[in-house]
């Protein structure tokens, strides 16, 4: 069994196993046989690529191999290197240097996929994208932790965000994510909470019409209450504060109902409008 799954080293083309560097075979794969990964949090398009990066790929090709896994029907699915693949297609290169991952630990695929995306793109992501990326990473780390416990491989390690983390440290996955990507543990916890936010509120969050802290509080409410609250604030063009969201959370947890108490919270803010459409929940379905 491999005792180390060092993703940072993998990107350089070698995997330290038991302290001994070993080379993984780099293959030339047709670009038309590689599909984007469905969990990639960002859609890579030619217009979004840096001009200098495109010129480099056109002139020199892709120097750093991409990582793929075996797909169906003789195709491959991208793990790391979506931008490099897109640039190669723009440059009309027919093949790209790639390493095919034929064996992945449980949870390793999502961790591998999200690591480069979070490192490269996190600050530019929408809140919904940050939420999805960290949730996928968090679930993958927990899955790897469970695998390590079951297979007595707690001394194995991964490289996350450029930092080496032992498997047994994944017990505190939120802390591991915060440390790896230079975030506060409270921020990681906040984005993880947002996974329970329904679509209507998530769209408001991406549009900066509600703060992350207020949205995280709203996410703790039952879905039906979230929807009712959304209809109320949308109809009156109200921007809810975190204090108001906390008051509603305490009301609901105490067995209260939204109406008529919500009227008292927003009595000075109402601006009635009509024809507000209800949006369904299930942002991550």
């Amino acid at each position: 069994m491999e005792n180390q799954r060092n993703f940072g080293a993998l990107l350089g083309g070698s995997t330290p196993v038991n302290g001994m560097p070993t080379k993984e075979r780099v293959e030339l794969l047709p670009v038309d046989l590689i599909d984007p990964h469905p969990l990639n949090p960002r859609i890579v398009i030619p217009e979004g690529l840096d001009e200098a990066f495109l010129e480099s790929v056109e002139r020199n090709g892709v120097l750093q191999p991409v990582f793929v896994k075996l797909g169906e029907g003789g195709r491959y699915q991208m793990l790391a290197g979506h931008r490099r693949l897109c640039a190669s297609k723009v440059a009309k290169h027919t093949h790209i240097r790639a390493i095919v991952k034929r064996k992945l630990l449980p949870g390793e695929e999502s961790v591998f996929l999200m690591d480069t995306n979070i490192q490269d793109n996190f600050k530019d992501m929408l809140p919904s994208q940050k939420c999805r990326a960290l949730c996928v990473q968090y679930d993958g780390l927990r899955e790897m932790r469970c695998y390590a416990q079951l297979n007595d491989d707690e001394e194995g390690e991964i490289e996350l965000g450029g930092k080496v983390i032992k498997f047994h440290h994944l017990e505190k996955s939120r802390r591991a994510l915060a440390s790896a990507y230079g975030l506060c543990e409270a921020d990681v916890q906040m984005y993880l909470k947002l996974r329970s936010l329904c679509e209507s509120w998530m769209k408001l969050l991406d549009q900066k019409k509600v703060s992350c802290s207020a949205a995280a509080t709203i996410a703790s409410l039952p879905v039906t209450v979230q929807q009712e609250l959304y209809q109320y604030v949308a109809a009156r063009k109200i921007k809810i504060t975190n204090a108001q969201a906390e008051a509603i959370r305490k009301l609901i947890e105490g067995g209260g109902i939204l109406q008529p108490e919500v009227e008292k919270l927003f009595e000075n803010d109402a601006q009635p409008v009509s024809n507000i459409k209800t949006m369904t929940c299930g942002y991550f379905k």
Side-chain angles (χ1 to χ4, degrees):
M1 179 183 295
E2 292 184 0
N3 289 327
Q4 290 184 315
R5 313 290 291 190
N6 189 320
F7 297 109
L10 282 175
L11 292 175
S14 63
T15 307
V17 179
N18 297 325
M20 297 297 292
T22 61
K23 293 291 183 180
E24 293 204 63
R25 187 162 65 93
V26 177
E27 306 177 35
L28 279 177
L29 299 182
V31 296
D32 291 338
L33 289 184
I34 303 176
D35 299 315
H37 200 288
L39 290 180
N40 192 43
R42 300 189 74 183
I43 298 175
V44 179
I45 58 176
E47 293 77 12
L49 297 175
D50 180 73
E51 188 174 335
F53 175 65
L54 280 171
E55 290 177 357
S56 174
V57 172
E58 184 173 10
R59 183 173 59 253
N60 304 313
V62 169
L63 301 179
Q64 187 182 57
V66 301
F67 280 77
V68 300
K69 70 170 188 174
L70 294 174
E72 298 181 353
R75 300 188 66 81
Y76 302 87
Q77 196 170 78
M78 184 66 74
L79 292 174
H82 289 81
R83 290 174 66 251
R84 281 166 278 168
L85 177 64
C86 183
S88 295
K89 290 182 176 180
V90 172
K92 301 190 183 306
H93 295 318
T94 58
H95 291 70
I96 191 171
R97 300 175 73 240
I99 292 175
V100 182
K101 299 299 297 179
R102 290 178 167 82
K103 182 179 179 182
L104 292 164
L105 298 181
E108 185 177 0
E109 179 176 343
S110 59
V111 172
F112 201 168
L113 173 71
M114 290 300 169
D115 187 47
T116 52
N117 274 288
I118 294 176
Q119 286 189 75
D120 296 341
N121 307 315
F122 192 78
K123 64 180 175 53
D124 297 322
M125 289 180 179
L126 293 171
S128 61
Q129 294 171 327
K130 292 179 179 180
C131 170
R132 187 182 184 94
L134 287 175
C135 285
V136 170
Q137 194 79 321
Y138 177 76
D139 293 342
L141 291 177
R142 287 175 62 85
E143 193 173 358
M144 291 185 73
R145 166 68 175 165
C146 290
Y147 178 88
Q149 287 178 317
L150 291 173
N151 291 273
D152 195 25
D153 190 25
E154 302 244 44
E155 292 307 309
E157 57 188 40
I158 63 171
E159 185 172 308
L160 198 65
K163 298 180 181 179
V164 176
I165 299 176
K166 294 283 188 182
F167 280 175
H168 63 263
H169 288 159
L170 297 181
E171 184 175 354
K172 300 183 183 297
S173 298
R174 289 190 295 270
R175 184 174 300 173
L177 284 173
S179 174
Y181 301 120
L183 304 171
C184 296
E185 192 171 345
D187 286 341
V188 173
Q189 177 67 8
M190 177 184 66
Y191 283 115
L192 294 179
K193 285 181 179 178
L194 290 175
R195 77 160 81 200
S196 300
L197 195 65
C198 69
E199 183 180 6
S200 52
W201 279 107
M202 190 66 83
K203 288 185 180 293
L204 288 185
L205 179 59
D206 281 346
Q207 295 167 3
K208 299 182 180 180
K209 294 181 179 178
V210 61
S211 69
C212 283
S213 55
T217 301
I218 293 168
S220 67
L221 300 172
V223 169
T224 54
V225 177
Q226 289 188 42
Q227 291 175 318
E228 185 180 355
L229 181 59
Y230 168 77
Q231 285 188 306
Y232 183 90
V233 300
R236 291 158 179 79
K237 296 184 179 180
I238 298 169
K239 184 173 182 179
I240 188 171
T241 66
N242 189 45
Q244 290 167 331
E246 279 290 341
I248 292 171
R249 179 185 64 79
K250 291 177 182 178
L251 170 70
I252 300 302
E253 288 183 353
I257 58 175
L258 203 57
Q259 295 283 5
E261 294 300 319
V262 70
E263 299 284 353
K264 298 176 183 178
L265 285 172
F266 298 104
E267 58 185 356
N268 297 323
D269 301 321
Q271 300 176 34
V273 295
S274 59
N275 299 323
I276 298 297
K277 294 182 179 179
T278 301
M279 303 174 97
T280 59
C281 293
Y283 192 80
F284 293 109
K285 291 182 181 179

